[in-house]
Structures are given as C-alpha cells and as structure tokens.
Amino acid sequence: MGLKVILPYLLICYLFFYYKWVEGYRKLSKEEDLELDEQLKCLNKPTVKTINTKYGDIYDCVDFYKQPAFDHPLLKNHNFHPEMHASKINYLLDDKPNTHYAVARTMQGINYEGVGAELNVWNIPVQASQYTSGRIKINNGAESIEVGWTVNPGLYGDNRTHLYIYTNAGESHCFNAQCGYVQLNPNMPVDGTLDPVSSYGGKQYGTTLSIVKDVDKSNNWLLQFSDPPVELGFWASQLFTNLGNTATQAEWGGEVFSPPDVLAPGMGSGHNIRSSTGFDAFCDGAQYLVNNTVISPPKDLDILKDDKYHYDVDNRGEVEGKDHYLIFYGGPGGATGN
C-alpha cells in the first residue's frame, strides 16, 4: 500500500507552552492560591535539559523519578525504575459532551489484553477550540485508554499533527502525561509532532501503535510504537478499578470535538470515505489480544457513528490476508451538538 512509517524527531520529556494572551483577571481566594501553588509544584520540576524543536516547541527534561506521573497519589510509593521492561511479545466510549465518533468496536463479554493497528496520519483544519483525532482504544466500562494522532490547537498551541494519549481512570481523565502515565522511552514523547502526514490521493504516512497488558510480569498496560514494537511507557494497573484487571472492549476509528453550536471539524482525511487506502483515514492490520493470542477482529464488529450524515466508518475486514484487516473512517464534518 506504500504506507511509510513515521520516524518522529528524537525529543524527550515534557512539553510546555507559553502564552502571551490572557482572558480577564480575577483575584484568587486563599484556597485557590494554595491549590495553584500545588499545581505549579507538580509542573515546575528541576530541569536537567531543555530542548527547542524546529517547530518552536520547548521540552523541559526532568529526572525519571520527577516526571508528573509520580505526583499521582496512587503512585507516590512506587517501585518503578527506568530499566523496567515487559515480556518480549510482539502484540500488537466513554461519552464526552460535544464529541462525535465513527468507530468499529468489539462486542463486550470477552476479556481483552491488548489492541493495535497501523494508523495513517492526517492534518486537516480545525478551529482553536476543536480537535480531530484517529485512534485505537481499550476500555472496561467508563475506564479507558486511547492512543493515536490528533490536531488539537487548544492542547498543543499549534495546528500540527501530534501523537497523543487519553486516560480515563475513575475521577482522573486527561490527555497525555498528567493522569499517571509513566514515560520510559526518552526518545519519543507522547505529545511529539508527527511529520510528514498523508495527502488526499497521494502518499500515505502512518504509525503503528498498540496498548498491551503485561500479563506475564507487571500487569500494567504498556504503550508500544512501531513494528517490531518499541515500548514507550505504561499505565500502572493500580490507577484503575475495573480496567486494572482486564479490558472488555476494543475500538478503532475517529473522533472529533467542537463546542456547542459550532460546526464540527472534519474527521480522518476530511472527506466522505471511499474505502480506499489512497484517500481515506484507516486502521490497517487491526488486531486485539485474547489469552496471549493475537486475533484479527470479526467482520461483524459493532459500528458506531453518532452522525451518519457527516461521519462514516467501513469495517472492510481482511484484505490481502490477516495482516491487512482494514477499517476506514472519516467525513467532511459540519455536525453540531452532541
């Protein structure tokens, strides 16, 4: 299919944006001031090194034990160390207001130990208050983990395509590294820029991602990149209640967000899908893991598209053998409301 794997620039640590624009001013109460001080203590870690990317991003590098994940109350007394490694196995909806989906997902009732796919990545226009994403996801009830690519100016301060993770662990839910995700790989941050991107009717560029349960050792959820997989980091099992034990559903597809009464952005390539690898956003080689066995999804996956007039998903199934199980998704946007 001519898909090229992205090799993101070797950056490390955490990304901080500095804004000159401020909306309004209000004197903080004593309680709010104390809370703000605590939040700043979490963010203002002793910097070992600062890296400026060619995109203007600033990465502050901190000691492994000073990363934000260890400020989480459930990880205060951790015994993790930077040399931790998982067993060497090649594995590959929660409701959010004003969010639209076009996804294929497994039926519930089976315990899943992982999900993976190769996603081609896109860059389509969004407004400052919107985002558009392609991702894989694993969940148990309301608790979930997702990883993929996104264009999210409100989160990153730019209109480039970035890698992202989203964690929903009980009362904690956030993008990237603030909800207990532990970064192990110093060479690829979870908010790194993905470049180059795919073009409509032209070359396709993608990245292989997987979320895998380390059932043989730590029981943590691992984030893996590329093929063969490179371990980027993990979510400790104690962060979750139900998802800490197992996942009950796996999912592949797209997601967009827009404020109420604002036309939602496009999804995937930003066009109506044609079920073509040269024109559509897709998850290629979609797989999940059950009982230590990598399995291609069934053709009767549950299809969820909350707005069929603006977004679509096509579970095409196995193409050219089991290594090419294809799920297409996307749409031109234009929806409003939830």
Side-chain angles (χ1 to χ4, degrees):
M1 289 183 293
L3 187 71
K4 298 185 179 180
V5 176
I6 293 175
L7 297 178
Y9 300 95
L10 297 182
L11 308 176
I12 59 176
C13 309
Y14 297 93
L15 182 62
F16 296 87
F17 293 108
Y18 301 92
Y19 295 99
K20 296 180 180 179
W21 179 76
V22 178
E23 182 179 9
Y25 170 79
R26 169 175 77 84
K27 184 176 178 61
L28 298 177
S29 67
K30 182 177 180 181
E31 291 76 15
E32 290 173 322
D33 192 47
L34 290 173
E35 181 180 355
L36 180 59
D37 284 342
E38 287 300 314
Q39 294 175 356
L40 289 173
K41 286 178 183 177
C42 291
L43 291 174
N44 294 332
K45 305 291 186 178
T47 301
V48 176
K49 183 179 180 180
T50 297
I51 296 177
N52 293 273
T53 75
K54 73 174 188 177
Y55 301 108
D57 300 334
I58 300 173
Y59 282 84
D60 285 340
C61 308
V62 300
D63 181 89
F64 173 82
Y65 297 104
K66 300 294 185 182
Q67 60 179 294
F70 297 133
D71 292 316
H72 195 289
L74 294 178
L75 301 184
K76 288 290 188 181
N77 299 314
H78 70 88
N79 59 355
F80 308 130
H81 54 86
E83 289 77 29
M84 289 183 67
H85 293 286
S87 51
K88 300 298 183 182
I89 303 176
N90 187 359
Y91 303 141
L92 270 183
L93 142 96
D94 59 302
D95 291 329
K96 303 174 190 174
N98 307 310
T99 306
H100 298 282
Y101 305 90
V103 300
R105 58 185 183 181
T106 60
M107 302 296 182
Q108 299 197 40
I110 299 177
N111 292 334
Y112 298 94
E113 299 161 359
V115 61
E118 184 176 24
L119 289 76
N120 62 341
V121 299
W122 296 83
N123 183 276
I124 60 176
V126 300
Q127 298 182 33
S129 56
Q130 302 175 325
Y131 70 73
T132 183
S133 305
R135 81 295 195 279
I136 60 174
K137 177 179 174 180
I138 205 156
N139 71 279
N140 187 330
E143 294 186 326
S144 63
I145 297 171
E146 65 185 69
V147 57
W149 61 266
T150 188
V151 182
N152 190 334
L155 180 63
Y156 296 104
D158 60 50
N159 287 90
R160 297 191 297 272
T161 304
H162 289 261
L163 181 67
Y164 86 98
I165 61 174
Y166 184 81
T167 308
N168 191 336
E171 296 183 358
S172 299
H173 43 90
C174 65
F175 288 97
N176 298 336
Q178 299 301 320
C179 284
Y181 168 80
V182 179
Q183 181 80 15
L184 288 179
N185 192 312
N187 296 321
M188 184 177 177
V190 294
D191 53 10
T193 299
L194 297 176
D195 183 45
V197 297
S198 302
S199 59
Y200 193 69
K203 289 185 178 181
Q204 303 299 299
Y205 296 89
T207 180
T208 300
L209 298 166
S210 57
I211 306 166
V212 176
K213 186 78 166 174
D214 185 17
V215 294
D216 293 335
K217 292 187 178 180
S218 66
N219 208 38
N220 298 326
W221 287 103
L222 313 175
L223 173 59
Q224 296 178 337
F225 162 80
S226 192
D227 187 16
V230 175
E231 189 175 325
L232 299 185
F234 66 91
W235 295 263
S237 60
Q238 58 261 45
L239 293 173
F240 306 94
T241 302
N242 299 321
L243 191 57
N245 298 317
T246 189
T248 57
Q249 196 167 52
E251 185 175 294
W252 304 261
E255 171 182 323
V256 301
F257 168 84
S258 188
D261 302 321
V262 178
L263 294 180
M267 177 189 295
S269 68
H271 297 265
N272 290 316
I273 64 173
R274 299 170 53 170
S275 297
S276 168
T277 55
F279 294 88
D280 298 325
F282 58 79
C283 299
D284 183 24
Q287 297 174 331
Y288 57 77
L289 188 69
V290 175
N291 293 328
N292 245 16
T293 303
V294 177
I295 303 172
S296 293
K299 189 64 174 67
D300 61 347
L301 286 174
D302 184 26
I303 299 298
L304 170 64
K305 44 184 178 181
D306 71 309
D307 188 329
K308 64 181 181 180
Y309 299 104
H310 299 96
Y311 308 106
D312 201 2
V313 59
D314 177 15
N315 178 25
R316 182 49 58 100
E318 292 187 355
V319 179
E320 301 175 11
K322 67 179 181 179
D323 292 333
H324 292 285
Y325 192 104
L326 275 165
I327 299 171
F328 297 98
Y329 64 93
T336 57
N338 189 25

